[in-house]
Amino acid sequence: LSRLGSAGEKDGVEHILGLMERGEIDMDRVAFTSLITSLTRCGMWERALAVFGSLRSRPDIGYDTILYNAAISACHKGRRPYLAAYHFREMKAKGIQPSTSTYNTILASCASKRASWKMAFDFLHSMRHDKVSPDTQTFNTALSACSGNAEKAREVWKWMLEEQTKRDKYTYTAAFKANVPHDLEGGLSMLEAMQREGIRPDMITINSLLGLCAKSGLWRESIELLESSQRSQLSPDTFTYTSIISAMNRAGEWERALALFDSLAEKLEVNHPLVKVVVEASTRIHTWEGALGYIDGFAEKGWRPQLTLYQPLLERGAALDEVIKNMNKHGVSIDAKRFILVLRSNDVVSQWPRALSLLGDIDPVEREQITEYHFIPLLARLASRASNQAAISILTALPEYHIKPTVVSYNAMIRAITPETQKMKALRAYYELNRVQYNHVINYNDRWKRDKVSTEMMDQLSELIVRKASRHDWKSVSELLEGRKLREEEGGTPKKGGTVERGGTLEHRGTPKPVSRHAYNRALYAFAKGSQWEKATALFREMSSIGIVDEESCGCLVAAYDISGQWARALAAFDSVTPRTISHTSLMYCAAIHSLDAMGAREKALQLYSEMGRKALRR
């Protein structure tokens, strides 16, 4: 089995496996270990784990460290780090002591993409707890597993130095890949240590040092490293030159970076980091035409442009129309995140019709991330630069894309307008455009929702109720409502003063006669102003029974309770509005906040006040 597994003789290993499954040979623990190892080496790790699982029905086969090492190795071969961890925990639960080889294998399994550095670090702590001596391979695999976290990789490196474990070429390669050196100085110190130990650095080491140069913009040092590697007969690759160009870009040497790229354009392989840094350098020197030209050139070489590549152009407010044309040419669509970048950076008034049209290209679900609050800084900037008309045109266009501007947006724009004469014009225009949607009020008593001129036909009684209510004459309104029992077909004769207008009433006969919704609401308004909460309650119930309750009706009822000192009833009426599918108005909030304040519930009152702001209701 060992010979067949080492030679990769899959057929021979399967033949012995078949003999075992048919019971034609009797195998002991050592033979099973060899079988599992050979199956793993031949790429049949799943069958190896199946053989290991079948041993659960063989109590005569005792488990040991070597058998578990074979099973964990099969998990590593199949890139199943969590299954390897399961067998490791099972091993320890049975009292079997892991060996250095066990930890090396499971750490190598953690280095796969399916695991994380946290798992690797947990096993390292377990190794210390079990007092198992690590070797070079242990630290090499641990450094590779911790490549996603430089801080943890540095702890592994420190532990390796404390243990005085011998380091090899792979140790330094893993350390450089895990970003163990903090900066170029640390990287050069590690390079000197390699050379003292007789280890010749390779191109991976040099590229790691160049990456440190790129982070700090040390382009001169990167050139020196390149020349040093060439003297050592090392061949630079695309990553080498990408790091050098990145260092020049970080240092502000954009023209130098582009000149180096242009001289090597035919030799370098196209990759995303290289494309990104070249386009950014071109954008930095204000040549958006050159940046788009580079993108077209990369696309001709078979590289598909990505949205992130256009981010520098969108951030700097370059010729937006040309950038969008280039994006469409290469099949790249803008998303909500990049559109928000355009909002933050673009102040060119002539480009905004094109910019707004981009909203239609964004996926409707993703477009929900864009709210009016993303437009507020732009509106303020435009207004402060005397581009009032552009700001207003943006506000009026937003509803087409299901973004509804509220009082917050208008306030931001109006505050930024100068001089004061223009500000007053803007305020008057805002009030005129939004007087129906938003009700601006000065104090509590004026916070009543005013209907537009009613277009419904009103009879004489409804007109009389509206007229009396407008004078806050709740007594006359009450008498008029009580006189509705006169049957319509019989008519009525005025009493107590002749005409109703002069204080008369109608005779009480038959069932109450409904009046218009407008008259009902005006009557509720009169009762609220007169602190007649009982009459308001009775009238509201009558309105509910015939289904004519609206926002104004609910607002007047809540206000009637509040003005009458019935604060608990006011809050109950406020809460009951939600099931009626009627939106809370400023009047309702005002009455509820006043009631809460009167009851000493200041905290809840402030919560309602904040809620008004979130709903963009005038406070």
Side-chain angles (χ1 to χ4, degrees):
L1 278 169
S2 298
R3 187 174 69 253
L4 291 171
S6 299
E9 293 287 344
K10 184 176 179 181
D11 294 337
V13 175
E14 286 186 321
H15 175 68
I16 296 178
L17 177 61
L19 294 176
M20 184 273 293
E21 290 175 341
R22 293 191 297 272
E24 297 181 19
I25 55 173
D26 188 20
M27 300 178 64
D28 59 6
R29 183 177 63 232
V30 178
F32 273 112
T33 303
S34 297
L35 177 60
I36 293 170
T37 303
S38 300
L39 287 169
T40 301
R41 288 176 176 174
C42 293
M44 297 182 286
W45 62 271
E46 290 178 317
R47 299 185 71 176
L49 291 175
V51 171
F52 181 75
S54 68
L55 297 181
R56 300 180 189 279
S57 61
R58 294 286 302 273
D60 57 309
I61 303 295
Y63 291 92
D64 64 358
T65 301
I66 300 175
L67 182 59
Y68 265 103
N69 286 355
I72 292 173
S73 180
C75 297
H76 168 51
K77 186 74 173 180
R79 296 178 178 245
R80 297 294 187 272
Y82 295 101
L83 185 57
Y86 169 79
H87 288 309
F88 178 83
R89 289 193 295 269
E90 183 183 60
M91 176 185 184
K92 296 194 70 174
K94 291 182 178 180
I96 301 173
Q97 180 66 21
S99 64
T100 303
S101 178
T102 309
Y103 280 104
N104 289 348
T105 306
I106 200 163
L107 284 171
S109 179
C110 292
S112 67
K113 292 183 179 179
R114 295 194 177 191
S116 65
W117 60 264
K118 293 182 181 180
M119 182 184 291
F121 221 69
D122 289 341
F123 285 119
L124 283 175
H125 281 298
S126 176
M127 192 174 191
R128 271 188 165 178
H129 181 268
D130 294 341
K131 298 181 180 180
V132 178
S133 300
D135 58 10
T136 302
Q137 185 182 352
T138 306
F139 288 111
N140 290 354
T141 52
L143 286 169
S144 298
C146 293
S147 60
N149 188 300
E151 198 63 37
K152 296 299 180 183
R154 289 171 190 136
E155 291 185 30
V156 174
W157 181 260
K158 183 179 178 182
W159 183 21
M160 189 176 190
L161 296 178
E162 292 172 355
E163 293 286 334
Q164 297 182 349
T165 307
K166 183 180 178 181
R167 297 179 289 275
D168 58 14
K169 174 182 176 181
Y170 301 103
T171 308
Y172 284 103
T173 300
F176 275 111
K177 282 187 174 180
N179 295 320
V180 171
H182 286 273
D183 48 23
L184 181 60
E185 184 179 354
L188 292 175
S189 298
M190 189 175 288
L191 179 63
E192 291 176 2
M194 286 180 68
Q195 294 170 339
R196 284 196 305 268
E197 295 173 15
I199 302 172
R200 183 173 179 268
D202 56 8
M203 208 60 220
I204 295 177
T205 306
I206 300 300
N207 285 342
S208 299
L209 292 171
L210 288 171
L212 294 172
C213 291
K215 290 180 181 178
S216 304
L218 303 174
W219 67 273
R220 290 185 177 87
E221 289 80 353
S222 65
I223 295 293
E224 292 176 3
L225 281 171
L226 173 64
E227 293 172 350
S228 174
S229 65
Q230 289 173 335
R231 286 194 297 268
S232 301
Q233 297 181 346
L234 296 175
S235 301
D237 54 15
T238 299
F239 185 86
T240 306
Y241 289 108
T242 301
S243 298
I244 296 173
I245 294 171
S246 298
M248 292 176 176
N249 180 57
R250 181 63 64 90
E253 296 288 336
W254 303 306
E255 294 181 355
R256 191 184 299 272
L258 294 176
L260 178 59
F261 171 76
D262 291 338
S263 65
L264 300 167
E266 299 301 325
K267 300 178 182 179
L268 300 181
E269 297 179 2
V270 180
N271 59 74
H272 184 70
L274 177 62
V275 174
K276 184 177 179 182
V277 71
V278 169
V279 172
E280 183 176 349
S282 181
T283 308
R284 289 280 188 177
I285 56 178
H286 309 294
T287 57
W288 59 266
E289 300 96 335
L292 295 180
Y294 280 121
I295 292 175
D296 291 336
F298 289 129
E300 290 174 1
K301 292 183 179 181
W303 185 82
R304 187 175 181 273
Q306 301 175 16
L307 179 58
T308 54
L309 186 62
Y310 292 92
Q311 187 161 321
L313 293 165
L314 295 173
E315 282 181 343
R316 287 166 180 78
L320 186 63
D321 196 44
E322 297 299 325
V323 174
I324 298 303
K325 285 180 181 178
N326 193 275
M327 291 173 62
N328 295 335
K329 175 182 176 181
H330 299 295
V332 180
S333 300
I334 197 167
D335 60 3
K337 180 180 178 181
R338 273 71 189 190
F339 182 81
I340 293 171
L341 282 177
V342 174
L343 291 179
R344 292 174 181 172
S345 58
N346 199 315
D347 293 336
V348 182
V349 175
S350 60
Q351 293 186 6
W352 271 106
R354 183 72 179 98
L356 282 177
S357 67
L358 296 177
L359 279 171
D361 300 333
I362 302 175
D363 181 79
V365 177
E366 192 176 358
R367 195 191 302 155
E368 294 178 0
Q369 302 175 23
I370 304 172
T371 65
E372 66 156 330
Y373 295 98
H374 292 116
F375 287 85
I376 289 175
L378 169 69
L379 295 171
R381 291 199 306 270
L382 292 175
S384 64
R385 298 175 185 181
S387 301
N388 303 341
Q389 192 57 44
I392 293 173
S393 64
I394 291 173
L395 281 175
T396 54
L398 288 182
E400 299 178 15
Y401 304 100
H402 307 287
I403 299 175
K404 192 174 183 181
T406 63
V407 67
V408 180
S409 300
Y410 283 95
N411 280 347
M413 184 185 71
I414 292 169
R415 279 197 299 268
I417 292 176
T418 53
E420 288 298 319
T421 53
Q422 292 292 326
K423 184 172 292 190
M424 292 307 299
K425 288 181 180 179
L427 282 168
R428 283 196 293 270
Y430 168 69
Y431 291 150
E432 183 63 27
L433 289 171
N434 296 275
R435 60 188 175 84
V436 177
Q437 185 178 0
Y438 303 107
N439 305 286
H440 293 270
V441 290
I442 299 172
N443 53 44
Y444 179 83
N445 289 329
D446 293 333
R447 200 181 287 264
W448 305 93
K449 179 176 177 181
R450 301 298 187 182
D451 283 349
K452 293 180 293 183
V453 178
S454 179
T455 56
E456 63 179 329
M457 296 297 293
M458 292 193 296
D459 54 10
Q460 181 189 16
L461 179 59
S462 297
E463 290 177 352
L464 289 174
I465 291 174
V466 170
R467 194 173 300 150
K468 295 294 183 181
S470 64
R471 300 172 185 171
H472 301 176
D473 187 358
W474 66 267
K475 292 183 180 180
S476 298
V477 170
S478 178
E479 290 176 354
L480 288 170
L481 291 172
E482 290 174 0
R484 290 174 299 150
K485 293 187 178 180
L486 177 67
R487 293 183 182 276
E488 185 175 359
E489 63 273 11
E490 294 181 1
T493 56
K495 299 169 66 176
K496 297 182 182 178
T499 65
V500 179
E501 182 63 16
R502 293 178 181 175
T505 60
L506 297 176
E507 292 181 359
H508 292 210
R509 294 184 187 178
T511 58
K513 170 187 173 184
V515 293
S516 68
R517 182 201 298 265
H518 187 60
Y520 273 118
N521 286 338
R522 292 299 92 198
L524 276 174
Y525 166 76
F527 289 147
K529 297 291 282 186
S531 303
Q532 301 297 312
W533 67 271
E534 293 176 331
K535 293 183 180 295
T537 302
L539 186 59
F540 186 86
R541 287 173 181 168
E542 181 180 334
M543 294 176 67
S544 299
S545 66
I546 57 179
I548 59 170
V549 171
D550 60 5
E551 292 176 356
E552 186 179 8
S553 313
C554 295
C556 289
L557 180 66
V558 178
Y561 286 136
D562 176 49
I563 294 173
S564 303
Q566 300 293 319
W567 301 313
R569 294 178 185 272
L571 296 176
F574 179 86
D575 292 336
S576 69
V577 169
T578 304
R580 298 179 183 276
T581 65
I582 293 176
S583 301
H584 287 99
T585 62
S586 296
L587 174 60
M588 298 181 207
Y589 273 103
C590 184
I593 290 170
H594 186 269
S595 296
L596 286 169
D597 190 55
M599 295 171 68
R602 180 64 60 84
E603 192 68 25
K604 291 183 178 179
L606 290 174
Q607 290 176 4
L608 279 188
Y609 182 79
S610 299
E611 187 176 312
M612 284 184 73
R614 289 194 298 272
K615 292 184 177 180
L617 293 172
R618 179 71 174 176
R619 296 184 292 182

